[in-house]
Each structure stands twice: as structure tokens, then as C-alpha cells.
Amino acid sequence: MSKNKMMLAAAVAAMLVSCGGGGGRPTFGDNEFPVETVSSQSAALQTNYPATINGIQDVEIRPKTSGFLTQVCVKEGQTVSAGQLLFVIDNETFQAQVRQAQAAVNTAQSGVNTAKLTFENSKQLHANKVIGDYELQTAENTYLSAQAQLAQAKAALASAKEALSYCYVKSPVKGVVGTLPFKKGALVSASNVLTHVADISQMDVYFSVTEKDLLLLSKAEGGVSGAIDAFPPVKLLLADGSEYGYPGKVATVSGVIDKSTGSVQLKAQFPNPDKLLKSGGSGTIVVPQSANDAIVIPQSVVVEVQNKKFVYLLNDSNKVAYTEITVNPQNDGNNYIVTSGLKIGDKYVTNGVTKLTDGQEIVPITPQRYQEKIQEQAKAMSAGDIVGAMKK
């Protein structure tokens, strides 16, 4: 056979095989249809949920006082430790207040020292009956008043030092510095967010499930907490569609259902040793699901009419019955997991379902025999029709 004939024969065979799917069948002339028997098997599915990504700590850095920025001590994306200096705000006025408060403490301390000497001397004079009780009590009261003034001065000094410390903005946590919208010389106040510091050594990924899914979790053994403990590792798809290299674990579930969406929020935690995940990012959580003893059928054998799904079942009289089924909404794009309408041992037509009508009598054959007949018909066409077509 020439190269052109071989290519045409292969094309015809491929056409016949494709016709053997759910949309049609080759013409055998003997009313034969392939039939499969329903059996159970294990099935693996996955459910995808939109997700948002945050560091385990994502802190807004705001100043506690107003003033001009005199120093910006970090760069965007820099890793900082807890307590590290980030910004310095103009503090000349606050330093002067500290010096003034310190001077007041020194003055008060001197007053205490003098009042103490006077009181000690008055006690000796009183013991020698040189002065009376009134003079002794007056000296003691003066000493106590001086001590109170010293305590007040020390409190003012502590307040001045605290106000001065507000000019030195430090990181409360270890993490990575975000954007720096304010530069040196900018006037800032407590209403301004100077930057964010996010601890991204581990990431919290938030996603929401429906109230129905939450109820399934709640009814599981051990309730919601028990279900979370038994939750399988989840995957994370990044914004570019690639799969993140580390699995995550569902850690918590919110106890409140969002009234506007009817959903509840879950949190999965992922390690982030390579710092690939960034706080504020987005992705997709993939939750694997497994079903044991499931009834799995190809999607090609199903007829869909007005959002309902049907298959053709074969009865004992070799007649087909147009039967509605329900399936799990999660599928792999090729197969359905049947939740009702089929049982183990039922027989269903696998190919040519669009050519059937309810109650039609057929000649059942095995899917293997069906494929053999397709090949036989392709060979017959290559011996006659194809050669004739090549001569034209």
C-alpha cells in the first residue's frame, strides 16, 4: 500500500474509533452496543478553593508621635529582628524635656536630702527636750513632702523618656520589611502606616468552605477539631498555576459563618523556607478527597438534559432504560462518581448512547469486542472504499 493509502486508512480507523464514543458509533448493521457491568473502586478527587496568603505575623508599623522623619534605617524587603530600629523621628524637643525632667529630679533629691538632715536633727533635739512635739512633727512633714516631690519628679522624668522613645520606631517582631511610602524629611503622625513587618517563615493561607462542608466536618468523628486533626495535607497552587513545593496542614476553622456568603473560613499553614510565598498574595487551596467502594463511570456514557444526567441501563430482556443518576459535583474531567441511580451489578451502555431510545432492544457485546469490530470495519473500508477513493 502506498504512503498516501496508509495515511488515509489510518485516518479512517481513527474516525471510527472516535465515533465509538458517547456521541455516535460505527454502523455495524446488527444493532450491537457495548455494555459494561457496574463495579466499585477507589476514587481520588480534589476540591479547589480560592485562598489568600499572609505571614504568621503581619504587623502595621505606626509612630506613636508626630514629627519629621530624620532617619529611615531599613530598606524594602530587608529582614529585621525584633527590637531593631526602623525609623527615627525628630526628637530635639523631647530630649530637652528629658533634660528638664532630670534637672527637676536632681532638685527634688536635694530637697529630700536637706529635709532628711533637718528631720534627723529635730529628733535628737526633741529627745533632749530642746524642741517640742510640734517642731518635730513639722520637720517630719517637710521630709515626707520632699519625698513626694521627688517621686513626682521621677514620674515626670519617666514620662519624658517614654515620649522620647516614641521617636525611635522599632520592629515589634522578626520579619521582612514591606514598602516604605515615607522618606526622610516626611511629616508623619500616628495615622500613618510607615511600613509592614511580616514574619514569613511560615505562612497562613485562608480559604472558605460552604456551610454544607462545615456540617460534614462537624458530624465527623471527634467533631470539627477531630476532623481537622484527620484532615489530609493540602496543596497550594500559586498565582501562575504552578504547585507550591511544600504541603500544608489545616490548623483552625472559624466558629462563625459569614452571613453574606454562607461560608466559613479555614486556615492552612505552609512552611516557607525559600521565602517564595509573600504576605498579601493569592492562590488556590487544593483539598484531596478519596472515596472507597465508589461507583465510577466515564463521562462519555452520560447524557445530559437540562442539568440532569442519564445513562442507558440494560435489563434482562436486552432492552435499555433511560435512567437518571446523580453524581458527585467534584470530578477529574473524565469520570463521574455516581451517588445514586446505579448499583453494583447494573449494566450500562458505554458507546453510541445518542443513537439509543428508551425501551430499545439491543444486542449487547463487550467493550473489547466493540473495539475489535471497529478495527475490522476499518480494514474492510481500506480494502474497498479507500482504494476506490484513492483512484479518484
Side-chain angles (χ1 to χ4, degrees):
M1 183 182 295
S2 67
K3 182 177 179 181
N4 289 337
K5 292 181 180 180
M6 292 176 64
M7 292 178 63
L8 183 55
V12 173
M15 177 189 69
L16 289 172
V17 172
S18 65
C19 289
R25 61 189 289 275
T27 304
F28 296 147
D30 50 10
N31 205 26
E32 292 180 334
F33 287 82
V35 173
E36 188 78 60
T37 301
V38 174
S39 61
S40 63
Q41 65 185 74
S42 297
L45 297 174
Q46 63 183 35
T47 309
N48 295 346
Y49 300 97
T52 57
I53 304 171
N54 291 307
I56 55 175
Q57 280 189 304
D58 193 348
V59 183
E60 287 185 345
I61 305 299
R62 297 174 182 266
K64 288 186 176 181
T65 189
S66 300
F68 292 97
L69 283 179
T70 58
Q71 292 184 49
V72 178
C73 305
V74 292
K75 298 179 180 179
E76 295 180 355
Q78 179 179 338
T79 299
V80 297
S81 57
Q84 183 171 336
L85 183 63
L86 305 178
F87 305 94
V88 178
I89 297 174
D90 179 37
N91 50 43
E92 290 296 330
T93 300
F94 296 99
Q95 288 183 0
Q97 291 175 352
V98 169
R99 291 193 293 268
Q100 183 178 2
Q102 183 64 61
V105 168
N106 296 338
T107 300
Q109 184 65 60
S110 298
V112 168
N113 295 339
T114 301
K116 182 179 180 181
L117 289 174
T118 302
F119 177 50
E120 294 294 337
N121 185 56
S122 296
K123 285 195 295 183
Q124 292 181 0
L125 292 175
H126 183 269
N128 295 327
K129 300 187 182 301
V130 176
I131 61 174
D133 294 341
Y134 175 79
E135 288 80 2
L136 177 63
Q137 188 63 54
T138 299
E140 182 179 5
N141 290 345
T142 301
Y143 178 47
L144 295 175
S145 177
Q147 287 181 319
Q149 290 175 3
L150 176 61
Q152 186 176 11
K154 286 182 177 180
L157 175 60
S159 178
K161 287 182 176 180
E162 183 178 8
L164 176 60
S165 70
Y166 293 162
C167 297
Y168 299 90
V169 182
K170 299 180 180 180
S171 175
V173 296
K174 176 184 177 181
V176 177
V177 177
T179 58
L180 299 172
F182 297 95
K183 308 302 179 184
K184 182 178 178 180
L187 179 63
V188 297
S189 66
S191 62
N192 300 128
V193 178
L194 302 183
T195 190
H196 288 76
V197 175
D199 184 351
I200 60 173
S201 59
Q202 180 173 287
M203 305 302 290
D204 291 335
V205 181
Y206 294 90
F207 64 102
S208 296
V209 301
T210 64
E211 183 178 358
K212 179 180 178 181
D213 291 339
L214 176 64
L215 289 174
L216 292 176
L217 285 175
S218 302
K219 292 177 181 178
E221 183 177 355
V224 174
S225 60
I228 289 177
D229 291 338
F231 216 92
V234 297
K235 300 177 183 179
L236 176 64
L237 299 182
L238 303 179
D240 62 357
S242 63
E243 182 178 322
Y244 183 57
Y246 299 91
K249 176 65 177 176
V250 174
T252 62
V253 56
S254 172
V256 179
I257 297 175
D258 188 328
K259 294 181 180 179
S260 61
T261 62
S263 61
V264 62
Q265 190 176 73
L266 282 76
K267 179 179 73 175
Q269 293 182 327
F270 288 81
N272 192 29
D274 303 325
K275 304 296 187 291
L276 178 62
L277 301 181
K278 306 298 183 184
S279 188
S282 61
T284 302
I285 284 288
V286 179
V287 180
Q289 296 177 333
S290 61
N292 296 322
D293 299 326
I295 295 177
V296 181
I297 61 174
Q299 294 184 10
S300 60
V301 309
V302 177
V303 179
E304 294 194 34
V305 179
Q306 296 181 346
N307 295 325
K308 293 184 177 181
K309 295 176 173 58
F310 300 85
V311 295
Y312 281 96
L313 295 186
L314 184 69
N315 61 25
D316 295 337
S317 302
N318 286 341
K319 292 183 179 181
V320 294
Y322 194 54
T323 306
E324 183 179 359
I325 61 172
T326 57
V327 301
N328 190 312
Q330 303 300 327
N331 62 80
D332 60 4
N334 297 312
N335 301 289
Y336 286 131
I337 294 181
V338 180
T339 56
S340 67
L342 287 181
K343 62 182 185 296
I344 305 299
D346 284 345
K347 297 180 179 180
Y348 62 92
V349 178
T350 63
N351 293 82
V353 292
T354 59
K355 303 296 184 180
L356 293 172
T357 57
D358 190 26
Q360 179 179 341
E361 184 175 353
I362 67 170
V363 176
I365 60 175
T366 65
Q368 293 77 13
R369 178 55 184 159
Y370 184 76
Q371 293 300 323
E372 291 174 359
K373 293 180 74 68
I374 290 177
Q375 297 298 327
E376 291 171 1
Q377 186 168 351
K379 291 178 181 179
M381 292 181 65
S382 66
D385 298 336
I386 297 176
V387 173
M390 291 294 296
K391 291 180 179 180
K392 291 181 181 181

